[in-house]
């Protein structure tokens, strides 16, 4: 097949996504918690963005990074959940090759960007605890803006080659994606030729993005803990650790399901039913985005105070 004929066929390819294989009869029931968490994720993160943007006391590095995380959470859940619900409710699993690749790119792009945001938030906590007197001088608005640009640029440079890697492959008849959304290896496995380059690039990209972020986050918190336990006052130690509590919860919420999903895919073999990692993948794109604003709202006094004032004004107006 020539390149031109392959390009023509790619424009005509339509895939059928099956949702969660083996649980088709339970799709309607599964859709209820997924839809509920998606609504909570969008509303909660939108409210968080509103609170940070309208409260001058929240115009600090920690909350600006939190705003980036909230925006990424909205995009992460929206990139996949509406189509997943269409499959569950209307059996509308059809998707063109171009739309599938577009969904794949944004899914991986947002995932890598969110990992980098969590690393930036870890650095923010490191500076706040280990170098408190230099905090304002180090994390200036200009620096935060540059960090945001660096996060977007890095994510784009890492994920954009995936588009070329799936377009270079030859596809010859496989049309069923046993998943509820499109991801890199899911598309690549439908090709007829070798996908070794896709596998090698996927592993390399993960090692030098998400895995590197995890290592740097661990180093940051090791330095933070060393600094905290050098503080003579126990009350001061507890206060310092409490400022990191929300971030640690969000980190565990983001990386743990992803890690379990990767383990299930790579090493589960035939011992783990196919629906288990796919169900994990579906929950992964809604649970962290839904819980992140709840975690920060419950543990951050400034956000609680602003939220209380907003609801007080709303009640008065009504």
């Amino acid at each position: 097949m020539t390149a031109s004929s392959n390009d023509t066929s790619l424009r005509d390819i339509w895939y059928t996504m099956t949702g969660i294989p083996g649980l088709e009869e339970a799709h309607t029931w599964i859709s209820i918690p997924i839809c509920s968490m998606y609504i909570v994720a969008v509303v909660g993160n939108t409210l968080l963005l509103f609170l940070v943007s309208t409260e001058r006391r929240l115009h600090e590095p920690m909350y600006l990074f939190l705003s980036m995380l909230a925006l990424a959470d909205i995009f992460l859940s929206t990139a996949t959940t509406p189509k997943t619900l269409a499959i569950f409710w209307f059996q509308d699993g059809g998707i063109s090759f171009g739309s599938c690749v577009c969904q794949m790119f944004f899914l991986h792009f947002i995932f890598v960007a969110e990992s980098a945001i969590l690393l930036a938030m870890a650095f923010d906590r490191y500076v706040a605890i280990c170098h408190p007197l230099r905090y304002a001088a180090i994390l200036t608005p200009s620096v935060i803006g540059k960090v945001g640009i660096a996060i977007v640029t890095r994510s784009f440079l890492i994920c954009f080659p995936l588009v070329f890697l799936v377009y270079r492959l030859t596809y010859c008849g496989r049309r069923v994606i046993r998943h509820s959304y499109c991801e890199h290896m899911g598309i690549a496995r439908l090709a007829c030729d070798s996908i070794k380059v896709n596998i090698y690039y996927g592993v390399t990209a993960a090692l030098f993005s998400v895995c590197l972020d995890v290592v740097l986050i661990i180093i940051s918190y090791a330095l933070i803990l060393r600094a905290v336990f050098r503080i003579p006052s126990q009350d001061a130690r507890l206060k310092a650790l409490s400022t990191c509590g929300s971030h640690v919860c969000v980190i565990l919420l983001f990386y743990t399901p992803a890690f379990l999903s990767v383990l299930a895919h790579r090493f589960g073999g035939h011992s783990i039913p196919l629906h288990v990692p796919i169900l994990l993948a579906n929950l992964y794109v809604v649970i962290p985005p839904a819980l992140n604003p709840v975690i920060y709202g419950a543990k951050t006094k400034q956000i609680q105070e602003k939220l209380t004032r907003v609801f007080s004004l709303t009640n008065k107006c009504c």
Side-chain angles (χ1 to χ4, degrees):
M1 181 180 288
T2 64
S4 60
S5 61
N6 189 41
D7 290 342
T8 302
S9 65
L10 291 181
R11 287 196 294 270
D12 297 333
I13 287 178
W14 277 77
Y15 292 129
T16 299
M17 293 189 288
T18 61
I20 304 177
L23 297 179
E24 287 85 359
E25 293 183 0
H27 276 177
T28 301
W29 294 106
I30 296 171
S31 71
I32 295 173
I34 288 179
C35 180
S36 301
M37 286 184 285
Y38 175 61
I39 293 171
V40 171
V42 173
V43 173
N45 285 289
T46 301
L47 180 60
L48 192 58
L49 287 169
F50 170 76
L51 295 177
V52 173
S53 64
T54 56
E55 177 59 60
R56 291 190 60 85
R57 288 192 306 160
L58 298 180
H59 293 177
E60 298 178 5
M62 173 183 172
Y63 302 108
L64 295 178
F65 287 131
L66 180 56
S67 296
M68 295 182 193
L69 182 67
L71 194 61
D73 279 339
I74 293 173
F75 288 146
L76 179 65
S77 56
T78 302
T80 58
T81 307
K83 183 61 179 179
T84 298
L85 293 176
I87 297 171
F88 290 169
W89 290 340
F90 311 113
Q91 292 75 50
D92 182 16
I95 188 170
S96 67
F97 181 83
S99 298
C100 195
V101 172
C102 184
Q103 186 185 54
M104 173 207 75
F105 169 75
F106 281 108
L107 178 66
H108 292 294
F109 172 84
I110 297 164
F111 181 82
V112 174
E114 189 152 343
S115 178
I117 293 169
L118 291 176
L119 174 59
M121 295 174 77
F123 178 71
D124 168 78
R125 292 299 85 203
Y126 164 75
V127 175
I129 292 174
C130 299
H131 304 282
L133 298 179
R134 299 175 55 199
Y135 181 74
I138 294 175
L139 290 173
T140 63
S142 174
V143 169
I144 295 170
K146 290 175 182 177
V147 169
I149 293 172
I151 288 171
V152 172
T153 303
R154 189 192 77 151
S155 301
F156 180 84
L157 292 176
I158 289 172
C159 297
F160 194 65
L162 297 176
V163 176
F164 292 99
L165 288 175
V166 294
Y167 264 98
R168 59 177 277 277
L169 297 171
T170 302
Y171 301 88
C172 54
R174 301 175 200 170
R175 294 291 186 270
V176 177
I177 298 177
R178 293 169 66 79
H179 210 309
S180 56
Y181 56 76
C182 299
E183 44 89 26
H184 174 226
M185 290 310 301
I187 300 175
R189 289 193 181 99
L190 299 176
C192 304
D193 43 14
S194 174
I195 60 172
K196 286 184 178 179
V197 175
N198 298 69
I199 295 172
Y200 293 150
Y201 183 81
V203 172
T204 303
L207 286 174
F208 286 96
S209 58
V210 177
C211 293
L212 181 61
D213 292 344
V214 171
V215 171
L216 293 175
I217 288 172
I218 292 172
I219 293 173
S220 297
Y221 271 95
L223 295 173
I224 287 170
L225 289 175
R226 187 180 69 172
V228 167
F229 287 114
R230 287 179 176 177
I231 300 173
S233 169
Q234 183 177 357
D235 291 340
R237 284 200 301 268
L238 292 175
K239 184 178 180 180
L241 288 174
S242 68
T243 64
C244 301
S246 301
H247 185 233
V248 171
C249 291
V250 169
I251 288 173
L252 294 175
L253 199 60
F254 179 78
Y255 288 112
T256 302
F259 183 67
L260 293 176
S261 181
V262 169
L263 286 180
H265 268 297
R266 298 296 182 187
F267 307 110
H270 297 290
S271 62
I272 298 179
L274 180 60
H275 66 262
V276 172
I278 294 177
L279 183 59
L280 278 174
N282 276 276
L283 294 175
Y284 172 76
V285 296
V286 289
I287 291 179
L291 292 183
N292 286 348
V294 176
I295 291 170
Y296 272 98
K299 288 183 172 289
T300 308
K301 184 179 178 181
Q302 292 90 331
I303 292 178
Q304 292 175 359
E305 291 175 350
K306 175 62 177 178
L307 192 60
T308 301
R309 288 200 299 273
V310 169
F311 280 113
S312 297
L313 288 173
T314 304
N315 291 333
K316 289 179 181 179
C317 291
C318 294

